[in-house]
Amino acid sequence: MKIDNVPLDLLIPNMLSATVYVIQIFILTILLSIPLGFLVALARRSRFKLISVPTRIYQLVFRGTPLMLQLIFFMYGPYYIFGFSFDRFTACIIAFTINYAAYFGEIFRGGIASIPKGQYEAAKVLGYTKLQTFMRIVLPQVIKNVIPATGNELMTLVKDTSLAQVISIPELFRVATNAGSKYFSTVPIVIAAVFYLVMNTVVEFAFKWIEKKFDYYRN
Amino acid sequence: MLLKAENLQKQFGNTIVLKDISLEVNEGEVVAIIGPSGSGKSTLLRCLTQLEKVDKGRINVCGKQMVETIQNKAVYADYKTLHDIILDVGLVFQNFNLFPHYSVLKNIVDAQMNVLGIAKDKAKSKAMELLTKMNLKDRAGAYPCELSGGQQQRIAIARALALNPRILFFDEPTSALDPELTGEILKVIRSLAEEKMTMVIVTHEMSFAKDVADRVIFMDAGVIVEEGTPDAVFSNTINQRTKDFLQRFSQE
Ligand SMILES: Nc1ncnc2c1ncn2[C@@H]1O[C@H](COP(=O)(O)OP(=O)(O)OP(=O)(O)O)[C@@H](O)[C@H]1O
Ligand SMILES: [Mg+2]
């Protein structure tokens, strides 16, 4: 079947396998950057300047420069500096993880800061240890607070996977633009748009569902 | 004597908030602390419950030394002692500070289980007993956000009582409530007084302080200005500052 001279029966399977890259980047980035983001948030709250200041600088650098540039840096930088390089996919995951952990760090830091002082004080007077207070009282409320912002971030992540093309990862956007120029058609681009939209609709619904799960109380 | 505090001093930056406060509370006694806004009442309570650290002075709670002053500096006890002392006291806040993500029952059960290590069944039955006492048995499954301020404060009192504190502190327990809801809280505190619960209550409810307290302390600008039986403080006021304060209050 062809639309606008584009052989869909050839293109669609290619785009589907390119989508596997999108999903891989998406899932690996979530699994690595969310825990790392929590550490970043805790490091930012540290009393020790030796920990909080460098963390802040790291966040500024990675939120203040293009992710595309960071991808190129992790792909080609290590060779110039250390004489070795990561394979493409590893470099890609490292760049995404470090970039997103900087953003998640900021979201989680805000989430932790939004817990009223009275919660800590009530817990302390009841005899909870610092660790118990964090795990039992603070963290569950932080998770609820950061769900909307996290969902937002993950929708951006789905779209940001298209940046991996700059280090020649054969992900969806790259496959679509290549096919577009090969067949002189915008059809592959439109199909890619539909693919991204479907994935983000799933993310959106998943997060609405999670938000609802946490709706049983208000702060 | 359950609580003995001597010569407490506390300052925030350059403002001296507690100047030289000494205070004793005996077992079964109800002490009311009154005084104008900013006089240091909350700060005193927070120092006694380890939410703030004093700069100087000595505090002994239930025979355990919490802090003493050595060479002009406050020296606190070790972590273990401080933790033991915290278990001897309870604090009820002005704005309740319930845990919003826990149900009413869990608010009362959680610390029993995780702080005192009490078994679940026992903790639950204790919680239900307290909820019955607070007239809130049917709200055990509710979340704090579903309750009125008065109900939330009663849960907060139950949560504190669940750990069997020997002294219970209240910091303006009715100030965040609508006037028609203060009565239910005062009633609970009254019944605790009848059971000889040792309590230290910061309050602006003068008539309540008058009839529930064994002793009234009037604080102003970080010092205890006048102290005595309710009768002595309210009816035979000696100090001019106390007189002015009580007069201003009765005009409001
Ligand atoms: N954390 C803090 N940092 C700086 N100043 C503080 C702090 N807490 C209290 N103060 C100051 O200490 C003084 C006493 O405050 P405190 O809250 O103890 O008064 P209070 O008698 O409880 O007043 P109120 O009746 O309004 O509750 C006030 O001047 C207040 O501004
Ligand atoms: Mg106060």
Side-chain angles (χ1 to χ4, degrees), chain B residues 110-141:
Chain B
D110 198 70
Q112 289 189 70
M113 291 172 60
N114 292 291
V115 174
L116 298 185
I118 293 172
K120 194 169 183 176
D121 310 346
K122 250 182 113 184
K124 262 192 179 163
S125 61
K126 171 106 192 169
M128 289 315 293
E129 187 189 306
L130 286 164
L131 282 173
T132 310
K133 196 163 151 187
M134 298 294 152
N135 225 339
L136 284 168
K137 201 171 60 175
D138 50 331
R139 304 314 308 271

Side-chain angles (χ1 to χ4, degrees), chain B residues 205-223:
Chain B
E205 302 279 339
M206 294 304 151
S207 57
F208 170 71
K210 207 175 194 165
D211 67 43
V212 81
D214 300 310
R215 188 148 52 92
V216 176
I217 290 173
F218 171 70
M219 265 180 84
D220 191 15
V223 294

Side-chain angles (χ1 to χ4, degrees), chain A residues 116-130 132 136-138 140-141 216-219, chain B residues 46 49-51 79 83 86-87 89 91 93 97-102 106 110-111 114-115 143 145 159 163:
Chain A
K117 216 168 118 230
Q119 293 286 303
Y120 293 91
E121 295 183 343
K124 165 144 197 199
V125 177
L126 289 168
Y128 288 90
T129 64
K130 283 218 162 89
Q132 283 177 323
R136 306 193 63 80
I137 310 301
V138 176
Q141 297 185 58
Y216 62 90
Y217 78 89
R218 266 172 290 121
N219 298 74
Chain B
R46 293 169 60 80
T49 52
Q50 301 185 34
L51 293 178
Y79 178 84
H83 184 76
I86 251 181
L87 298 179
V89 305
L91 174 61
F93 299 85
N97 290 332
L98 291 175
F99 303 132
H101 59 305
Y102 283 166
K106 183 119 198 238
D110 198 70
N114 292 291
V115 174
Y143 282 85
C145 63
R159 179 177 70 172
L163 301 183

